[in-house]
Amino acid sequence: MGRFKPFETAPVPERAILVGVDLGSSRWSCDDSLAELGRLAETDGAVVVLTMKQRLDSPVPKTFIGKGKVEELVSYVRNLDADIVIFDDELTPSQQSNLERAVGEPVKIIDRTALILDIFGEHAKTKEGRLQVQLAQLQYVLPRLRGMWSHLVGEQTRGGIGSRFGQGESQLEVDRRLIRDRISTLRKELTVLEKRRGVQSKARWDSGVYRVSLVGYTNAGKSSLLNRLTGADVYARDELFATLDPTTRSLVLEEGRKLTLTDTVGFIQKLPTTLVESFKSTLAEARAADLLLLVVDASDQRWRDQMAAVVEILRDIDSDGIKRVLVLNKIDLLTQEQRLTLKTENPDAVLVSAEDGIGINNLLYRIGKEASEGDETITAMIPYSKGLLLKMCHERCQVIRERYVDEGLLATLKASERMRATLEPYRVNDELESNAAQ
């Protein structure tokens, strides 16, 4: 008797066909957008076996792509043994239903929105993140329920006894009510969490600590940069949407000033509206920041288009008025000539490599410069009994000089408007200021 051969238990990757329509109206070319869709599919565990595209002036209302292209798609699905077809643009419920009928079971028809929602569902770890993803998923599924019960809804058309209480329609309404109830519950839970986050954010604001948020396209290296700057151990991998949940860490600059650094969810072009809406409480970290570090992958040829997509989303969440610094990351993947060209074309940007640590000191200097903008030099006599105030001065101000005298700490420092207001009762006159300088 031969040796027992164990069964293969590893999941078999789904075979995916990608479909895109070139409408000629997007900043992104159809090829670039489909390439990104392929990376999304691979992130979700699929294997891309074919990419199809069609040039149209506008999508076909019934099937999104033309009739001939649908027939071609059906042929490819059968010949390549595909499990799933992914469209690069959002399908209407009727388009999805018509395509499913044309292709036949068990092949799935989904769009970019459904794919991103699935990835978010896999990667969300915190309670708030999971609730936000659930809300977005249910809002996406709700208008698409009818297709799931079409075989039962059809029974109503036959008429006769009981036709007024169609089995499919009643089940459909039950499901709709359950989903609406769940959406309402999720919104209430998220409101509670948003209030809690608001209290935490207000506490940071009241503390006077300068707040910096990392924003950027997905896979631009924000988490790696956070780890490099703060010595944190945030999960970071070379994949799209590796991290979704915001992470805040403390950072102490060389001058002694303390600030907070927050890593936010990555953006992407064609980001589903339901996700932007659901993640508004998380994106509030970006809205509440004093400074945004706009991180881009400088090794990606499309980084300017990616940056434009990020700026557009920042505008949608009312964050476009916040001071920004462009951070060109991953320069370790560029030649010296490419780096010089980048610097020449973007003189205000900071070139860094979170992987190798190149340019990190320049970035810290730039953060310190932005944080101290608007600061004014004052001298204050802080009593020794005000220990908390002494600590605040060292954490939130740039101390130029200090001298311990009988009355307390005589300090000359650069302070922000909020800290100047706090220190106003302890400011000293010009004579003492000149003495402190001697």
Side-chain angles (χ1 to χ4, degrees):
M1 183 176 178
R3 293 184 61 187
F4 171 74
K5 295 183 67 175
F7 291 104
E8 182 63 53
T9 57
V12 179
E14 290 185 291
R15 296 169 62 82
I17 293 178
L18 310 183
V19 182
V21 170
D22 184 3
L23 301 173
S25 57
S26 174
R27 182 188 298 112
W28 290 63
S29 71
C30 187
D31 289 335
D32 287 343
S33 191
L34 281 169
E36 183 176 83
L37 184 68
R39 288 204 64 196
L40 286 168
E42 290 166 2
T43 297
D44 210 25
V47 174
V48 178
V49 295
L50 180 71
T51 299
M52 296 176 57
K53 63 179 180 179
Q54 184 177 24
R55 177 74 176 89
L56 294 173
D57 292 330
S58 61
V60 177
K62 189 175 180 180
T63 53
F64 196 79
I65 53 177
K67 182 179 179 182
K69 213 66 176 174
V70 172
E71 294 173 354
E72 187 180 336
L73 174 61
V74 171
S75 174
Y76 280 131
V77 166
R78 291 171 182 166
N79 292 333
L80 297 174
D81 196 23
D83 303 297
I84 186 169
V85 178
I86 308 173
F87 280 73
D88 192 33
D89 293 277
E90 187 166 336
L91 301 172
T92 65
S94 61
Q95 288 170 341
Q96 185 174 349
S97 180
N98 291 332
L99 287 164
E100 285 172 346
R101 280 197 294 270
V103 174
E105 296 182 350
V107 179
K108 293 176 288 186
I109 305 291
I110 67 170
D111 54 24
R112 174 186 273 254
T113 297
L115 180 61
I116 292 175
L117 288 172
D118 196 54
I119 295 171
F120 271 48
E122 179 70 23
H123 288 187
K125 303 301 179 188
T126 65
K127 180 181 180 181
E128 185 176 18
R130 289 195 298 269
L131 291 177
Q132 288 165 331
V133 173
Q134 284 181 39
L135 177 59
Q137 288 174 335
L138 291 175
Q139 289 173 326
Y140 176 80
V141 166
L142 184 59
R144 291 168 169 77
L145 277 180
R146 177 170 288 275
M148 300 177 184
W149 296 102
S150 56
H151 63 294
L152 297 178
V153 174
E155 293 180 10
Q156 285 184 276
T157 61
R158 284 182 280 184
I161 296 174
S163 62
R164 287 171 296 176
F165 303 97
Q167 184 182 3
E169 190 65 27
S170 61
Q171 181 63 63
L172 183 63
E173 289 307 316
V174 168
D175 283 357
R176 280 177 174 163
R177 188 177 70 250
L178 289 173
I179 288 181
R180 288 193 188 103
D181 289 347
R182 180 59 180 156
I183 287 175
S184 177
T185 301
L186 287 172
R187 282 179 171 156
K188 289 176 183 176
E189 290 186 54
L190 283 169
T191 299
V192 172
L193 292 174
E194 187 172 358
K195 287 180 180 177
R196 189 180 304 165
R197 182 182 291 278
V199 170
Q200 294 170 346
S201 182
K202 184 177 184 300
R204 285 199 293 271
W205 171 263
D206 292 341
S207 72
V209 174
Y210 194 79
R211 295 163 301 173
V212 181
S213 282
L214 297 164
V215 296
Y217 212 74
T218 179
N219 205 40
K222 297 185 302 301
S223 298
S224 298
L225 189 57
L226 178 75
N227 290 340
R228 173 66 68 173
L229 288 169
T230 66
D233 190 23
V234 176
Y235 179 77
R237 285 188 63 183
D238 184 19
E239 60 183 31
L240 304 184
F241 299 115
T243 51
L244 297 181
D245 305 305
T247 304
T248 300
R249 295 289 184 269
S250 296
L251 173 64
V252 180
L253 299 178
E254 188 175 349
E255 64 195 42
R257 183 194 295 266
K258 183 179 180 181
L259 50 84
T260 61
L261 196 61
T262 301
D263 181 19
T264 60
V265 61
F267 300 151
I268 197 169
Q269 59 123 358
K270 301 180 185 177
L271 189 66
T273 307
T274 51
L275 266 181
V276 175
E277 189 64 31
S278 299
F279 272 75
K280 272 194 172 176
S281 61
T282 300
L283 295 171
E285 294 290 341
R287 293 204 303 270
D290 297 300
L291 175 68
L292 297 177
L293 297 183
L294 178 48
V295 185
V296 298
D297 177 0
S299 67
D300 193 317
Q301 295 180 350
R302 298 162 298 185
W303 72 263
R304 289 178 178 82
D305 292 332
Q306 293 174 354
M307 182 178 68
V310 172
V311 171
E312 187 175 334
I313 295 173
L314 289 175
R315 191 179 302 118
D316 291 341
I317 62 172
D318 301 323
S319 296
D320 55 324
I322 299 173
K323 192 161 46 174
R324 294 198 298 259
V325 171
L326 176 60
V327 181
L328 300 172
N329 191 23
K330 302 188 182 182
I331 63 167
D332 54 299
L333 302 177
L334 303 178
T335 64
Q336 189 63 35
E337 184 179 351
Q338 289 172 322
R339 296 181 195 180
L340 289 172
T341 302
L342 267 181
K343 190 59 183 174
T344 302
E345 294 176 351
N346 307 275
D348 290 332
V350 183
L351 277 62
V352 303
S353 167
E355 182 72 22
D356 294 347
I358 303 170
I360 294 299
N361 288 336
N362 292 338
L363 179 57
L364 289 170
Y365 172 79
R366 181 66 179 275
I367 293 172
K369 181 179 177 183
E370 297 292 342
S372 62
E373 188 177 12
D375 287 2
E376 290 182 10
T377 302
I378 64 171
T379 300
M381 179 71 74
I382 307 168
Y384 293 123
S385 59
K386 302 291 183 179
L388 180 59
L389 187 56
L390 288 169
K391 183 172 182 288
M392 288 172 62
C393 287
H394 284 99
E395 288 185 348
R396 301 171 200 170
C397 304
Q398 181 181 351
V399 179
I400 299 173
R401 52 183 170 265
E402 58 185 2
R403 187 153 55 94
Y404 292 91
V405 296
D406 293 339
E407 296 86 350
L409 177 67
L410 182 63
T412 301
L413 38 82
K414 292 182 70 174
S416 64
E417 183 179 356
R418 273 181 286 175
M419 279 302 297
R420 291 199 300 274
T422 303
L423 292 170
E424 185 61 34
Y426 308 101
R427 290 187 68 164
V428 298
N429 57 34
D430 294 340
E431 184 179 346
L432 266 176
E433 286 189 27
S434 60
N435 290 338
Q438 294 175 2

